[in-house]
Structure formats: structure tokens, C-alpha cells
Amino acid sequence: MSTTTYRLGVLEGDGIGPEIVPSSVEIATAAARAAGVSVDWVTLPLGASAIESHGTPVPEETSKALAGLDGWYLGPHDSVSYPEPHKSALNPSGTLRKHFELFANIRPAKSFPGAKAVCDSADLVIVRENTEGFYADRNTFAGTGEFMPTPDTAIAMGIITREATERVARVAFDLARSRRKKLTIVHKANVLKLTTGLFRTVCQEVAKDYPDVAVDDFHIDAMTVHLVRRAQDFDVIVTENMFGDILSDLAGEISGSLGTAPSINASATTAMAQASHGSAPDIAGQNIANPVAMILSGAMLFEWLAAQHGDEKLATVAKTIEQGVADAIAAGTSTRDLGGSASTTEFTAAVIKAIGAAGQN
């Protein structure tokens, strides 16, 4: 058995969050038990329920508790349905990303058997800079990056800095070096010459420290076409905040479904597992949500923790989770969006059964 107990936060969030997050935790617990890893799960308030109980979607006690944990699972939020002033404020995900400076949003898109993928052989990762760009609620120290000098004029600031670009570029190059040694820089330097031009330039400068990684670059508009036509040709893609958000949704759909698109948000010292999709309030409470993206986000967190702590058992947990999902889907169990008929709880049970069966072989 592992001599270390890892403490992970559980923030269920809104909409389908209270269904898919417990599913993910249950599966991760089974995988951890099989690998001999001890996990202490710490449930904390966040989202609409926290507004009711604490008067805010991200209570101070939640932020303080997270600072003492090894990482956490964050469920989706439905901030557009929050009452004011919470609706207009920075959403829970953005609040945590900004507070903990989770500068790297890592979003893989990998096709797997059983999913209805546009590209059956996609296997790429988008590394999105998470603190700057045109996302107004993240790119300023105080206030937002949007303002209106007159009632008929709205302005948004797009901020790119050398420091933030270099640190996310190194994350992307390190990842490419561990994969197929190919990296693509996405920008719009032909029009946004100073901002995304700086992003491209800094990434190209960092590339000199990685001579073993092949590098190319594309404009954002061209990149959307390349992803649709030849997603299988790409390995690691690095880009700024807004472009990365758009491309990762596209890549998720190309590889099967946004319901299968995982991600983590990481700094140098902590990480948060968060599915790429939203809270889907239209299907909340019906036990039909696809938990795969959240489950695989958890696997990514365990993989990140393995590298952080030098604990190979954590990497085994990640691989066990991923294989359990693949085995369950390959055996014919999937939710409606993947062409099956399984409920959230039925799919969860199938993955846990697959993990148990693999442990007996």
C-alpha cells in the first residue's frame, strides 16, 4: 500500500455536476484501491448551492481549504442562472483559475473505439494560456478588461506578456517532448501583429531550447480547417486563451463528443480537474449525463500528480481509469450522446466492473 495519503477536493458545481463528479470520484476510488493508493476526498461548497448556504458561489473557506490540498475535481457551473451580483461577477471556474494562477489549461482530444468521432485517429493536446488574452475577467489585477466609454461603445483589452507566454510554451514543449515531438503554434499575427505576434515570437524563442521538437505555426482561422480535415496530423497545439477555448471545443467534437473532452488547469504547484463542457441544466437530475469527460479529467489529474510527486502508483491510477472507460465503451456500454442507452449510474458501474475485471487478470 502507498505510505502517502493524497488529499483531493470535490466541488460538485451546478447542473449535471452533482451527477458526473460523484461518478468520477467513485471510479477514481476504485482505481486508486486497485493501485494501492490512499485518497482522502474533501467535499467543499461551490456554485448555486454555496450561494444559498454561504452567500457566494466561491466561499472563502473553500479557497482556503483548496490551498492545503494536492488538487481537486471541479464540476461544471451554471453562473448565467445565478442571481445578481453573482451572475455578473467572475464565474467560479475563472475565480479559482485566477486565484491559484492556474496558467496552463491542458485539453486532450483523443478518439477511442465506440465513440462517434469525426476523425477516428485523432490524438492531440491543446495547451491553452489561461490568464491573459481577450478574456476580460482574467487579464487584469483589478476590475475587468472590458469597459464602455459611451453607452454605444464597448472595448475589450487583449493582453499578452512575454512571461505568461514563455511559461505556457514550456509546458507545451515539455508535453510535446513526452509525446510525438511535434508542436504547433496558433496565432493571428497577420492581423493582431503586436499581441498574438508576441505570442508567436516568444514560443519560437522557447523552441530553441527544444531542438528535438518539430515546430510549425498557423493562423487561427486556417487552423480550424486543418483540424477538421486532418486532425490526426497534429500532436501538441499551443495558443492564447480565447483561441484555445474555441479550438478545444472543436477538437473535442471531432474526436467524438464534448462529453468525452477532459482537461486540467495547472500551475507549477497545483492542478484542477475540469471537464471541457458546461453544466447542461436541461438534462440535470435525469441520470442521463455522460460522465466520461469528468472521469478522464480526473485521470489527467492523477497523471499530473504522479509527475509532481514522483509516485508511479498515481500514474497507474490514471491508466486504470482510462482503460476502464475504454473497456466499458468497447463492451457496448455508453450514454445516449455516444449512441448507447446507459444512464450515468449504469455507465459508472460498468467502468468500475471493468476496473475490477482488469485487476483479476
Side-chain angles (χ1 to χ4, degrees):
M1 293 291 289
S2 172
T3 57
T4 302
T5 295
Y6 296 94
R7 302 184 70 237
L8 301 179
V10 179
L11 305 125
E12 293 186 351
D14 308 318
I16 60 174
E19 297 165 78
I20 64 172
V21 173
S23 163
S24 306
V25 169
E26 192 177 347
I27 287 167
T29 299
R33 187 181 302 115
V37 171
S38 175
V39 179
D40 179 17
W41 300 97
V42 181
T43 301
L44 297 165
L46 179 128
S49 60
I51 294 175
E52 294 180 7
S53 60
H54 293 74
T56 175
V58 186
E60 185 177 354
E61 69 177 64
T62 294
S63 296
K64 287 183 176 179
L66 292 176
L69 302 180
D70 295 300
W72 61 88
Y73 282 38
L74 174 68
H77 54 75
D78 184 20
S79 53
V80 296
S81 69
Y82 294 170
E84 293 291 6
H86 311 295
K87 179 178 180 179
S88 298
L90 183 57
N91 65 42
S93 172
T95 297
L96 293 176
R97 294 184 194 193
K98 189 169 185 176
H99 179 76
F100 290 99
E101 204 167 356
L102 305 177
F103 65 86
N105 184 200
I106 303 170
R107 294 185 167 185
K110 183 177 181 179
S111 308
F112 53 84
K116 296 181 290 185
V118 175
C119 175
D120 292 333
S121 54
D123 183 6
L124 59 91
V125 181
I126 294 172
V127 179
R128 166 193 175 199
E129 202 292 316
N130 220 6
T131 66
E132 298 185 335
F134 285 96
Y135 276 21
D137 56 4
R138 298 179 199 166
N139 64 13
T140 60
F141 169 72
T144 76
E146 284 190 316
F147 57 97
M148 294 182 71
T150 76
D152 301 313
T153 305
I155 299 172
M157 295 186 295
I159 298 176
I160 301 290
T161 66
R162 175 175 293 275
E163 179 184 14
T165 302
E166 181 173 344
R167 68 183 179 181
V168 80
R170 292 196 180 280
V171 169
F173 274 99
D174 286 339
L175 184 59
R177 179 173 274 174
S178 71
R179 288 170 48 91
R180 303 197 306 275
K181 296 181 171 58
K182 294 169 59 179
L183 183 135
T184 300
I185 306 163
V186 176
H187 57 87
K188 189 61 177 173
N190 60 328
V191 177
L192 301 171
K193 297 180 180 180
L194 298 182
T195 49
T196 70
L198 178 62
F199 186 91
R200 181 190 60 182
T201 297
V202 172
C203 288
Q204 290 172 336
E205 291 171 357
V206 172
K208 296 175 184 177
D209 293 334
Y210 297 82
D212 53 323
V213 177
V215 180
D216 58 9
D217 69 277
F218 293 103
H219 296 144
I220 178 62
D221 45 345
M223 191 63 195
T224 60
V225 177
H226 291 310
L227 272 184
V228 171
R229 289 189 173 179
R230 54 186 189 94
Q232 70 278 0
D233 293 343
F234 295 94
D235 183 17
V236 175
I237 298 167
V238 64
T239 190
E240 64 86 48
N241 205 338
M242 184 169 66
F243 296 165
D245 198 8
I246 295 167
L247 286 181
S248 56
D249 278 7
L250 175 61
E253 193 63 31
I254 287 171
S255 63
S257 164
L258 270 182
T260 67
S263 79
I264 61 168
N265 298 273
S267 69
T269 57
T270 194
M272 171 174 80
Q274 179 185 19
S276 297
H277 59 70
S279 62
D282 56 319
I283 62 169
Q286 299 177 43
N287 195 27
I288 60 173
N290 182 357
V292 168
M294 193 70 238
I295 295 166
L296 295 181
S297 297
M300 289 182 69
L301 177 59
F302 277 97
E303 186 175 9
W304 183 90
L305 288 169
Q308 194 78 359
H309 295 275
D311 188 341
E312 281 302 311
K313 288 186 176 181
L314 293 171
T316 299
V317 175
K319 292 182 176 63
T320 301
I321 293 171
E322 292 169 354
Q323 193 60 52
V325 169
D327 289 348
I329 292 175
T333 303
S334 61
T335 50
R336 293 191 313 182
D337 59 316
L338 296 182
S341 60
S343 66
T344 308
T345 51
E346 287 170 344
F347 181 77
T348 303
V351 176
I352 292 173
K353 181 178 179 182
I355 289 172
Q360 294 173 3
N361 293 337

